Amino acid sequence: MDPRIPRLRRKLAAIPFQPLRSHSFGEEQHKFRPGPKLAEARVAAFEAEHDIALPDAYRQFLTHIGGSGAAPFYGLMPLEQYSLLVMNPREEPLAPRGFDDAEPGCHGRDLFLHVIEMGCTDVCVIGVTGPLTGRVLIGNSDGFWGPNVSSATDFLDWYERWLNHMSAGRDNRALELTSPQLRAHPARHRLAPNI
């Protein structure tokens, strides 16, 4: 087991009881409770069905912390709801790229797994093939914005960053965290009026 797992469990268990933590968009949905851990055989069957190998850090999260629930945004979706995606080809130079459902047998392209529900057409995915394997990306499936590749090296680092920023009471737009100060004074973020 990855040595970060026990630390993540402790941090996640403490978050709901921290009075000065940030608010995490969608927390009302998962209430910081992870779903049941997934059996190794269930994960292996999912991989065989989709002809992919899950990144090790993500696989460890599913089998040692939880297979759904507590995560940024509306939370980690159950395995049955995952979808395999490919990034759209770039239509124009510098145009944002979205995601499409992967066609069966399209293993010549980089594949991404939609794992966290963000709402509307926004997606939080993890790379499962190609140079972004193991990295978390946030984007819009229609290409209205993004994708934004997290600087975290893998899913466990990304997840711990979410917990750390929330615990410290920080604002973080990429993770949809709102500090206690901004929640108390929501107009503070507005620009000064034109003179």
Side-chain angles (χ1 to χ4, degrees):
M1 175 174 39
D2 189 294
R4 296 173 288 181
I5 297 288
R7 184 174 68 231
L8 290 175
R9 283 188 193 141
R10 283 191 305 273
K11 287 181 178 187
L12 178 59
I15 284 290
F17 306 103
Q18 295 178 341
L20 298 178
R21 70 169 173 83
S22 296
H23 176 268
S24 180
F25 173 78
E27 69 182 49
E28 297 82 11
Q29 185 81 19
H30 55 75
K31 298 180 176 122
F32 301 108
R33 291 186 207 127
K37 299 173 201 169
L38 299 182
E40 195 61 49
R42 186 164 178 217
V43 174
F46 177 84
E47 290 174 322
E49 177 186 345
H50 296 282
D51 194 24
I52 59 169
L54 294 178
D56 186 58
Y58 187 65
R59 174 186 260 278
Q60 295 229 11
F61 185 91
L62 295 176
T63 58
H64 295 292
I65 293 180
S68 63
F73 314 107
Y74 290 116
L76 192 63
M77 299 183 301
L79 199 62
E80 307 79 48
Q81 294 179 12
Y82 287 8
S83 55
L84 207 52
L85 305 173
V86 292
M87 196 177 296
N88 296 342
R90 190 170 301 243
E91 302 278 328
E92 302 171 16
L94 304 177
R97 298 169 72 182
F99 295 90
D100 287 323
D101 289 330
E103 299 292 328
C106 70
H107 291 299
R109 296 178 65 187
D110 297 344
L111 297 174
F112 301 89
L113 200 59
H114 182 193
V115 296
I116 292 180
E117 181 59 45
M118 291 181 66
C120 299
T121 58
D122 295 342
V123 294
C124 181
V125 301
I126 186 166
V128 291
T129 65
L132 295 175
T133 297
R135 302 285 294 277
V136 176
L137 292 81
I138 297 172
N140 180 273
S141 59
D142 294 330
F144 292 126
W145 60 273
N148 177 2
V149 181
S150 172
S151 61
T153 58
D154 63 23
F155 185 82
L156 294 176
D157 282 345
W158 181 79
Y159 194 85
E160 187 163 28
R161 181 178 295 168
W162 172 64
L163 293 172
N164 289 344
H165 284 225
M166 197 176 348
S167 180
R170 293 187 188 154
D171 290 312
N172 184 318
R173 295 191 91 182
L175 294 173
E176 289 286 336
L177 296 178
T178 308
S179 68
Q181 294 84 5
L182 189 57
R183 285 180 63 85
H185 304 285
R188 215 181 252 181
H189 73 281
R190 294 190 181 141
L191 296 173
N194 292 334
I195 300 179

